[in-house]
Amino acid sequence: MNDGGLKKFRGETPAATQWSRGLLKGLAENGCDVKVFAPIWDALFPKGALFPGNGEFLDQGFDQQLVRYLNFPGVRTRSVADSLKRVLRNEVAKNEPAIVLNYNPYPHYCQAMKSVLKDRPQVKWFNVVLDLDDPTLDKWSSFAKATNGASGAVFLSWWGYENAPVEKKLHLDAGVFSPKVISQPSKLVSKKIYVYAGKLADYGGLPQVISAIKRYDDPLASFKFFGKGTSKALADLASHDSRVEVFGFVSDDELKDACGDADAFLSPRDVDFQGTRMIFPSKILYYLQFGKPVLGPMLPGLAPEYKDVLLDVGDGTPDLWGDAFNSVKCMTSHQLNELECKIERILDKRTWCSQGRRLLDFVCSE
């Protein structure tokens, strides 16, 4: 999905797009012939288009085929599944052996793949699980039923990887294109710029940050918010507090420039949300590329090594967020250099090329 598509379609998310783009490039760098079958997600008709999208909204850097479907309530899942069945059957008939990866165990993907496997049982099918409702509520039975017949699963969540009752599984959270932080001189000045990049909505962890900013009385702090969506609470705060700016959705280059100017990054999450254990906030690794402090809770979906580079806000009370803001203010150049070294140790193991190699080795192993 390109920037035009991300801006137009409400169901498409920048974070997931960046993650998918990185992994596909990593696979291509390792010699894989990658083909993408891409339904474009829009709001259900009549709020969204009846047949969403066209090829102009797809990232031209990949060999992609648009999957058209009827975007009508009660029909969409079956329509997407039927369209995928047709294109996947044709593809695997032409190119064998084939390995199919799908984004989350959604019904349309799983239904399509089970149909393909009836005719082509030699096809390897792997679910890449980016997030999931709490699987402990039914002891993973919904997940097991949806993915029955799959060759294995890849989990972004560390907790998910550790606890999933899956015989063949891999932990692979996210990646970067360079093992080195993006060079930006540290600014040891009183004014600190905090950047948030993600969905703007009145749920999740954003209300915690809003409450914390209201309580935090440093006039030199600056808070910049980027992303799709709307948050009335955030808009109200920005209208009354000159320290807060809301930019909405911006291009990759604009976001990169803003992050380069930041002194620290915000990664809020509601730790009590029922799906928290199955989430890896990919924005964390994006933030870490800039070598600056990241403020947020140490979620169960994060691998243990992230604890060394995260300013943990615990359960996200305003006081804990305030303590984290003050920690950023007090960091010395030595502490920032030490943090950068720790971050590069994480980045070094997570280039998209190396992640692509790990995934390729995993899906090709017996």
Side-chain angles (χ1 to χ4, degrees):
M1 180 64 61
N2 57 30
D3 284 349
L6 288 172
K7 187 176 293 186
K8 179 178 177 61
F9 297 103
R10 295 172 58 187
E12 297 287 349
T13 63
T17 298
Q18 288 182 341
W19 185 93
S20 301
R21 182 184 297 144
L23 185 61
L24 293 175
K25 286 184 177 179
L27 289 170
E29 287 177 6
N30 282 282
C32 288
D33 181 13
V34 177
K35 185 158 187 176
V36 182
F37 297 95
I40 291 179
W41 298 113
D42 200 359
L44 280 168
F45 183 82
K47 290 185 176 180
L50 190 59
F51 294 96
N54 57 58
E56 73 177 88
F57 297 111
L58 301 180
D59 188 328
Q60 299 304 307
F62 300 101
D63 181 3
Q64 296 201 71
Q65 179 175 333
L66 180 68
V67 176
R68 303 304 299 272
Y69 63 94
L70 181 60
N71 188 34
F72 200 78
V75 176
R76 178 163 71 175
T77 294
R78 172 55 61 185
S79 180
V80 176
D82 288 343
S83 295
L84 281 169
K85 287 176 193 176
R86 288 192 293 271
V87 297
L88 287 172
R89 281 173 173 164
N90 290 335
E91 184 64 26
V92 299
K94 292 184 296 183
N95 297 293
E96 292 189 43
I99 296 171
V100 180
L101 307 172
N102 65 268
Y103 176 104
N104 273 345
Y106 293 135
H108 41 271
Y109 295 137
C110 295
Q111 290 172 20
M113 281 309 304
K114 288 176 182 180
S115 176
V116 170
L117 289 173
K118 287 180 181 179
D119 300 327
R120 303 278 176 173
Q122 69 275 24
V123 172
K124 291 186 175 183
W125 165 39
F126 294 89
N127 285 274
V128 183
V129 185
L130 286 86
D131 51 54
L132 199 68
D133 288 340
D134 187 354
T136 64
L137 295 177
D138 65 1
K139 300 181 180 178
W140 291 86
S141 63
S142 296
F143 175 83
K145 182 178 180 181
T147 61
N148 182 40
S151 303
V154 180
F155 293 92
L156 273 68
S157 162
W158 178 258
W159 183 92
Y161 168 73
E162 290 266 280
N163 291 277
V166 177
E167 183 175 344
K168 185 176 176 67
K169 56 186 175 179
L170 172 72
H171 174 250
L172 188 156
D173 46 33
V176 294
F177 288 105
S178 171
K180 298 294 183 181
V181 301
I182 297 171
S183 180
Q184 295 285 345
S186 298
K187 307 186 296 295
L188 295 177
V189 295
S190 298
K191 182 174 181 177
K192 298 297 181 184
I193 300 173
Y194 300 86
V195 165
Y196 170 91
K199 189 167 186 178
L200 305 179
D202 289 328
Y203 66 86
L206 201 55
Q208 295 179 338
V209 171
I210 292 170
S211 296
I213 294 172
K214 289 178 179 178
R215 291 269 296 272
Y216 191 61
D217 60 4
D218 183 356
L220 296 178
S222 173
F223 300 92
K224 299 185 178 185
F225 293 83
F226 299 83
K228 291 178 68 174
T230 57
S231 165
K232 184 179 183 304
L234 182 60
D236 288 346
L237 177 63
S239 68
H240 294 96
D241 189 335
S242 61
R243 301 174 303 166
V244 178
E245 297 177 273
V246 183
F247 295 88
F249 175 78
V250 298
S251 69
D252 288 349
D253 288 341
E254 290 174 285
L255 182 60
K256 183 177 178 181
D257 288 343
C259 291
D261 291 335
D263 294 286
F265 299 97
L266 309 176
S267 183
R269 283 282 176 175
D270 181 355
V271 296
D272 294 324
F273 172 62
Q274 59 89 17
T276 293
R277 285 181 287 198
M278 290 299 296
I279 291 172
F280 172 81
S282 58
K283 67 165 63 71
I284 286 182
L285 208 52
Y286 180 82
Y287 288 159
L288 289 177
Q289 296 175 94
F290 299 90
K292 306 293 176 58
V294 177
L295 287 58
M298 184 61 195
L299 300 172
L302 295 171
E305 62 198 293
Y306 286 97
K307 190 171 185 179
D308 290 337
V309 297
L310 196 68
L311 284 178
D312 189 0
V313 299
D315 59 1
T317 65
D319 285 343
L320 289 172
W321 275 102
D323 290 344
F325 296 152
N326 287 327
S327 293
V328 172
K329 282 180 61 177
C330 297
M331 290 186 79
T332 65
S333 58
H334 176 70
Q335 289 174 318
L336 289 169
N337 288 336
E338 280 192 331
L339 175 64
E340 187 173 310
C341 290
K342 292 178 181 178
I343 290 172
E344 286 193 338
R345 285 197 287 271
I346 289 178
L347 300 185
D348 186 57
K349 295 188 293 183
R350 285 176 169 80
T351 64
W352 278 121
C353 185
S354 64
Q355 294 287 54
R357 168 51 55 186
R358 290 183 62 231
L359 179 57
L360 187 58
D361 289 344
F362 171 72
V363 299
C364 291
S365 64
E366 294 299 327

